[in-house]
Amino acid sequence: DAASEASQQRNRLASLASRLQSMETQASRLEAQRTQRAAHADELRRRSQAAFDEHAALQRACDELRRRLTTAQERHDAASARRHELTGRLHELRDRRSGERARVGLLEDLWHRYEGFPDTVKTLMSRQVDGLIGPLVDLVQPAPGYEEVVEAALGPLGEALVVRDRRALSRCRELLNEQGLEGCRFLVLSDCPLALAMEPAGSQEGVAGAVKQYVRAEPEYQPLVDWLLNDSWVIDDIQRLLGGRATPRGRLVSARGDRWDRRSWRFGGSRPSAHGRLGRRQRWEQARAALRAREEEFQRLDAEAATAEQEWQACLCEQESAKGRLAHAAPGLHKLESHLSQ
């Protein structure tokens, strides 16, 4: 019985040992599974964190791209407005420049080709006669606002040609006879006295001063101006002279161009024949200077417009580039957001 009991105990011990071994094996397998699952969970957490980090980075990148796109759009709008403004100003300035070019051309014809002068003057000036200086209207310049006064004071002499001496006058006369030209007035510079006192205007009321004080000329032509205008005075209103009985002294000219020239009266109902020619050289030079300034302004504005065009193109490229980068990044961000939401 003792042997049988001992055998049974051995069998139970063997069974228990086998079960223990089986349980140890199962525990080892469970531990391995637990370790594997823990590693998998760690990997999932790592991947999830990486996905969150990638999402955050991609979100920041998209936000930065949206900011850049907004900035690029604003810069593009500003550049487009600037470009449109400069283009409009350039077209306007081009039209104004064309008008000024035409005006300069017209004034140049009046100055160099003596447009508006009699054919006799044109012919004599084109022959470059030795000693022939030019029309009197080209040698004097009235003060601003006194053009009509000076024109009225000069009267028909405004169309006269000025020559240096009587030898030049003889050459002009010979040419007139040879060409069969119409008559012409001449003023000889050498005939002018070097010093000439102003003739008094008498006791006329309303006399404002001598006409010659409103005329500028180069020093060599000043004696001629003094000689022609030494008895010409400016009066405020020629009407003052019409009520008197005494003959007025000197030549009197009003601001309207009314004139008493010692023997006859002339009223400014129509322009003097020299109107439009007096100061024509100065008008041409002023118009040419204004055109040069306009050309410089146009070139400067044209350069600004070209720069604005380049800036607009650069802003457009920047805007399109920002749109492309944002369009490329947006699907990845949406994919990550969908994955993280699961």
Side-chain angles (χ1 to χ4, degrees):
D1 291 335
S4 176
E5 184 177 359
S7 175
Q8 289 177 358
Q9 290 180 351
R10 284 195 297 274
N11 289 335
R12 285 196 297 273
L13 181 62
S15 177
L16 290 173
S18 176
R19 289 178 62 188
L20 177 61
Q21 184 177 5
S22 177
M23 291 178 68
E24 289 177 350
T25 301
Q26 185 177 5
S28 297
R29 185 170 60 254
L30 290 174
E31 180 65 23
Q33 290 178 357
R34 187 190 67 78
T35 302
Q36 184 178 7
R37 289 177 180 176
H40 182 64
D42 291 341
E43 178 64 19
L44 287 178
R45 284 191 295 271
R46 187 188 64 78
R47 290 182 180 180
S48 178
Q49 186 61 44
F52 275 112
D53 293 342
E54 183 180 0
H55 176 269
L58 194 56
Q59 183 66 56
R60 289 192 298 271
C62 287
D63 291 342
E64 177 64 20
L65 286 174
R66 291 191 184 95
R67 186 190 66 78
R68 291 184 180 181
L69 180 59
T70 301
T71 303
Q73 182 65 47
E74 292 174 352
R75 293 181 57 192
H76 176 265
D77 292 343
S80 180
R82 175 66 172 166
R83 172 175 172 261
H84 180 73
E85 175 197 357
L86 289 176
T87 301
R89 288 173 56 191
L90 200 60
H91 286 317
E92 179 183 357
L93 195 61
R94 184 179 288 111
D95 293 340
R96 293 171 62 185
R97 184 185 63 172
S98 298
E100 291 186 2
R101 281 179 174 176
R103 182 171 184 271
V104 168
L106 176 61
L107 292 175
E108 187 173 6
D109 286 342
L110 291 174
W111 166 237
H112 288 297
R113 301 178 185 177
Y114 298 93
E115 293 296 332
F117 281 87
D119 291 338
T120 299
V121 174
K122 293 180 181 180
T123 301
L124 290 175
M125 294 305 300
S126 66
R127 296 302 179 89
Q128 299 181 350
V129 180
D130 185 26
L132 175 60
I133 299 174
L136 176 63
V137 292
D138 291 345
L139 305 182
V140 297
Q141 182 178 359
Y146 288 88
E147 291 82 1
E148 290 194 28
V149 171
V150 175
E151 288 177 354
L154 292 176
L157 292 178
E159 295 182 345
L161 288 175
V162 179
V163 295
R164 292 198 178 278
D165 49 39
R166 295 190 181 183
R167 291 191 300 274
L169 182 62
S170 297
R171 285 190 284 270
C172 291
R173 182 172 181 272
E174 291 174 2
L175 188 58
L176 285 174
N177 294 332
E178 291 175 3
Q179 300 293 325
L181 299 174
E182 294 181 359
C184 180
R185 289 177 180 271
F186 291 91
L187 294 170
V188 182
L189 197 60
S190 62
D191 290 345
C192 302
L194 297 179
L196 192 65
M198 284 291 298
E199 293 187 11
S203 58
Q204 300 291 342
E205 295 183 2
V207 173
V211 172
K212 70 176 184 179
Q213 68 179 321
Y214 303 111
V215 181
R216 293 189 295 272
E218 295 182 6
E220 63 176 316
Y221 305 127
Q222 191 61 48
L224 176 61
V225 173
D226 294 340
W227 189 37
L228 297 176
L229 301 177
N230 76 314
D231 59 348
S232 297
W233 301 84
V234 180
I235 190 170
D236 57 357
D237 190 353
I238 207 77
Q239 185 66 31
R240 292 177 178 275
L241 307 178
L242 302 183
R245 294 184 177 181
T247 302
R249 297 184 60 184
R251 291 183 171 87
L252 299 170
V253 184
S254 72
R256 294 182 63 251
D258 297 332
R259 177 188 181 196
W260 159 254
D261 64 359
R262 293 179 182 267
R263 293 178 177 81
S264 64
W265 303 85
R266 185 192 183 285
F267 298 130
S270 60
R271 299 284 187 176
S273 60
H275 179 76
R277 302 179 219 164
L278 190 64
R280 63 196 182 93
R281 176 180 180 179
Q282 289 76 19
R283 288 195 296 274
W284 170 63
E285 291 175 346
Q286 292 169 1
R288 189 172 58 172
L291 178 60
R292 283 197 298 267
R294 189 73 66 196
E295 294 283 3
E296 293 174 358
E297 182 183 1
F298 181 84
Q299 292 176 2
R300 182 172 61 255
L301 191 61
D302 189 39
E304 291 181 13
T307 302
E309 179 70 23
Q310 294 175 358
E311 291 177 355
W312 179 80
Q313 292 288 349
C315 290
L316 181 62
C317 292
E318 182 182 358
Q319 181 184 12
E320 294 300 324
S321 176
K323 285 182 178 179
R325 290 196 299 269
L326 183 60
H328 180 74
L333 180 63
H334 295 158
K335 183 178 180 181
L336 281 175
E337 290 176 346
S338 176
H339 176 71
L340 292 174
S341 63
Q342 294 177 357

